[in-house]
Amino acid sequence: MKDTWIDFFGTDYIKFSENILSAERTLNEVEGIGSLLNLPLSSTILDLGCGQGRIAVPLAKLGYKIFGYDASAVLLEEAHKRAIDAKVDINYELVDMRVMDQFESFDAIINIGTAFGYVPEESDDCAIIKNIYRALKPGGIFILDTENRDNKIRNFIETYDSSMNGTVINTERNFDASTGRWEERMKWQAGGEERTATLNVRLYAATELKRMMTEAGFQLIDMYGSLYRERLDLSSTRLVIVAKKGF
């Protein structure tokens, strides 16, 4: 399977995602992340799959030493601009999670906003989790925030229209139960022309992710329905896993 996500996360994504990833949501999520980490403000944190710096910038403003890795050059360019505008120093790098090779470099690694599952094979995702484990210092914390697959399937809608920043987007959805992959095909009008984008992501069940993290070596794995420690159940739209590396 081709890495279609690289094309998806471009300038159109930045424009439309702001409709969902509001400033209020970002501030609330940053507060939740800080509470879950419970680390000194001088701690070194890697925002893995940092995108346009939505989470990295406010964390840096709080005083954390932030690194931001992403495989989208377009999103990293925007992230650099936001860091400059906010007058914060963030170490951004163009990095593919599959080949990240740091060793005991970070006090915490966060992967926020469904930035996991885009690679073609489950073995790739397992390798990413092992890379994360290796990159954490002893006692380091990993936070994964993604879709709650059970809720998403339970509320499946095949076709719908939505408005994002004044643009009407038609979306067709499909879930392949044999592969666990969720696909959204979007189309809209811009400048008199039809534009399209396709999102294809592997949605893991909570039990699958827990197994993958345990196999990578993580201990003390907690699961929540949000970044605010809400109970995980079928009504939870998010799945948050907090895993700790042993000393």
Side-chain angles (χ1 to χ4, degrees):
M1 181 185 295
K2 180 185 175 183
D3 286 341
T4 57
W5 56 270
I6 295 178
D7 295 328
F8 180 82
F9 291 106
T11 53
D12 286 324
Y13 168 79
I14 296 172
K15 173 185 175 183
F16 294 136
S17 66
E18 298 299 313
N19 190 77
I20 300 171
L21 306 174
S22 65
E24 181 180 5
R25 172 176 169 174
T26 297
L27 288 174
N28 288 336
E29 289 181 345
V30 168
E31 182 178 348
I33 291 166
S35 177
L36 288 172
L37 292 176
N38 192 28
L39 292 171
L41 291 180
S42 59
S43 299
T44 300
I45 300 173
L46 169 61
D47 185 357
L48 186 60
C50 64
Q52 62 267 49
R54 181 179 72 92
I55 298 295
V57 169
L59 284 176
K61 291 176 72 173
L62 287 175
Y64 295 106
K65 183 177 181 181
I66 302 297
F67 289 74
Y69 291 176
D70 204 284
S72 169
V74 173
L75 297 189
L76 282 179
E77 182 179 358
E78 177 67 18
H80 277 291
K81 292 178 182 176
R82 296 187 181 192
I84 292 171
D85 290 343
K87 296 181 173 60
V88 292
D89 184 19
I90 299 176
N91 298 281
Y92 286 120
E93 291 187 39
L94 186 68
V95 176
D96 188 316
M97 299 181 193
R98 290 168 288 190
V99 296
M100 184 175 72
D101 60 357
Q102 281 74 9
F103 178 72
E104 296 188 357
S105 302
F106 307 104
D107 297 301
I109 296 177
I110 61 174
N111 184 268
I112 307 298
T114 314
F116 184 82
Y118 294 100
V119 292
E121 304 294 337
E122 180 175 326
S123 58
D124 294 326
D125 284 323
C126 288
I128 289 169
I129 292 176
K130 290 176 181 177
N131 290 343
I132 291 169
Y133 181 86
R134 185 171 56 250
L136 282 169
K137 298 176 183 178
I141 301 169
F142 173 43
I143 297 178
L144 173 67
D145 161 52
T146 188
E147 303 275 359
N148 179 14
R149 188 178 84 169
D150 295 340
N151 175 272
K152 204 165 181 71
I153 296 170
R154 187 186 187 200
N155 295 285
F156 178 81
I157 300 175
E158 186 173 3
T159 304
Y160 70 99
D161 292 333
S162 59
S163 178
M164 294 191 180
N165 286 346
T167 300
V168 176
I169 300 178
N170 174 262
T171 301
E172 295 181 358
R173 288 172 161 176
N174 178 64
F175 178 72
D176 188 334
S178 66
T179 63
R181 299 199 75 91
W182 178 278
E183 185 170 272
E184 299 195 5
R185 297 179 297 276
M186 290 154 271
K187 58 184 179 182
W188 66 95
Q189 294 291 324
E193 298 180 351
E194 182 176 275
R195 304 194 64 172
T196 62
T198 300
L199 172 72
N200 188 291
V201 60
R202 170 70 183 270
L203 296 182
Y204 289 97
T207 51
E208 291 176 313
L209 287 171
K210 185 175 182 178
R211 170 185 53 79
M212 292 161 69
M213 292 190 185
T214 300
E215 290 176 352
F218 280 105
Q219 302 170 352
L220 302 174
I221 300 172
D222 293 320
M223 295 188 178
Y224 303 104
S226 74
L227 288 166
Y228 327 115
R229 291 190 175 91
E230 293 176 326
R231 180 177 177 270
L232 176 65
D233 56 31
L234 285 176
S235 67
S236 305
T237 58
R238 307 300 298 173
L239 165 61
V240 174
I241 301 180
V242 182
K244 191 170 184 179
K245 182 176 181 176
F247 286 94

